[in-house]
Amino acid sequence: KQEVTQIPAALSVPEGENLVLNCSFTDSAIYNLQWFRQDPGKGLTSLLLIQSSQREQTSGRLNASLDKSSGRSTLYIAASQPGDSATYLCAVSHGGSQGNLIFGKGTKLSVKP
Amino acid sequence: SQTIHQWPATLVQPVGSPLSLECTVEGTSNPNLYWYRQAAGRGLQLLFYSVGIGQISSEVPQNLSASRPQDRQFILSSKKLLLSDSGFYLCAWRQGGKLFFGSGTQLSVL
């Protein structure tokens, strides 16, 4: 059974710092991995999707990497801003017709001005 | 462009009362649709998914049911709510391997 773990559970950094969020999964036979952002009381916003054949994806100040064989992914946020404060979730998919995702519990990020 | 609508945003219901949460998708046809629940201190748990009209798959046994009466409509229901049904319910649809979520419904069962 696939399990997704995110460390740390919470992180507080001063504005301007670069930071890394970690995600690990127990079953490396994934189809893809997706990083989401969730603001309090809101739905999830997709940030980056990495296919199993890819090593990384970039969008603006965000860079996500994937090491499928070791069951790890990282989300790198450059030059953090207070507006980056949110909970970040990673999720893996095993593909198939259902395509459902298995989520970690998230990392709650707070960027202090 | 595709959009997903979910309502209501918040709901407070007594134990034993019925539940109906609705989700609709616009701008796409024959989407895969999903219901997730996010309970306090826990990750998102997949409840149901549907690959087409009338086709529902349940991931966990529980007090809830789902229906898909139309191509772009997905409904989550319960005949009698339990305290443990409280949580944040999210509807989602899939395109190109990505999952897109609605804004969620915060359900409090008292």
Side-chain angles (χ1 to χ4, degrees):
Chain A
K1 179 185 174 185
Q2 177 72 272
E3 293 184 5
V4 180
T5 304
Q6 290 187 248
I7 295 174
L11 181 64
S12 182
V13 301
E15 181 177 5
E17 266 202 15
N18 303 325
L19 60 101
V20 175
L21 306 181
N22 297 293
C23 173
S24 62
F25 45 95
T26 54
D27 183 350
S28 62
I30 63 170
Y31 182 69
N32 62 39
L33 182 145
Q34 201 167 346
W35 281 93
F36 294 88
R37 169 188 172 134
Q38 185 177 28
D39 293 288
K42 304 292 185 182
L44 278 69
T45 300
S46 178
L47 297 174
L48 290 164
L49 170 72
I50 310 179
Q51 301 292 351
S52 61
S53 59
Q54 298 176 322
R55 296 299 297 263
E56 65 176 349
Q57 283 286 327
T58 298
S59 176
R61 293 182 295 109
L62 304 179
N63 177 277
S65 69
L66 174 64
D67 185 342
K68 188 178 149 185
S69 60
S70 67
R72 295 177 185 273
S73 176
T74 61
L75 179 66
Y76 174 81
I77 302 178
S80 59
Q81 303 170 357
D84 295 330
S85 298
T87 296
Y88 291 81
L89 297 136
C90 77
V92 299
S93 170
H94 288 277
S97 60
Q98 67 272 25
N100 52 288
L101 299 183
I102 301 166
F103 284 82
K105 293 184 180 180
T107 294
K108 186 174 182 179
L109 173 65
S110 178
V111 181
K112 305 294 185 182
Chain B
S1 64
Q2 301 90 346
T3 56
I4 182 168
H5 301 280
Q6 197 179 335
W7 66 92
T10 60
L11 191 59
V12 180
Q13 294 283 101
V15 169
S17 64
L19 172 73
S20 180
L21 301 181
E22 188 163 344
C23 170
T24 59
V25 181
E26 295 179 359
T28 186
S29 59
N30 197 32
N32 280 15
L33 297 173
Y34 307 83
W35 278 111
Y36 281 86
R37 176 171 61 199
Q38 189 176 35
R42 301 179 63 179
L44 274 83
Q45 180 185 35
L46 178 66
L47 302 176
F48 301 95
Y49 68 89
S50 170
V51 298
I53 296 174
Q55 300 179 62
I56 308 294
S57 295
S58 174
E59 287 295 298
V60 292
Q62 58 208 321
N63 185 42
L64 303 169
S65 62
S67 62
R68 186 163 176 182
Q70 300 179 40
D71 181 44
R72 287 171 284 180
Q73 185 183 31
F74 203 21
I75 297 172
L76 183 69
S77 305
S78 174
K79 292 182 179 178
K80 290 185 178 182
L81 284 168
L82 306 172
L83 287 173
S84 58
D85 292 324
S86 294
F88 191 51
Y89 289 82
L90 288 155
C91 178
W93 68 285
R94 183 177 69 136
Q95 181 187 45
K98 273 191 178 182
L99 228 58
F100 297 90
F101 284 84
S103 55
T105 296
Q106 182 64 53
L107 172 65
S108 299
V109 182
L110 305 176

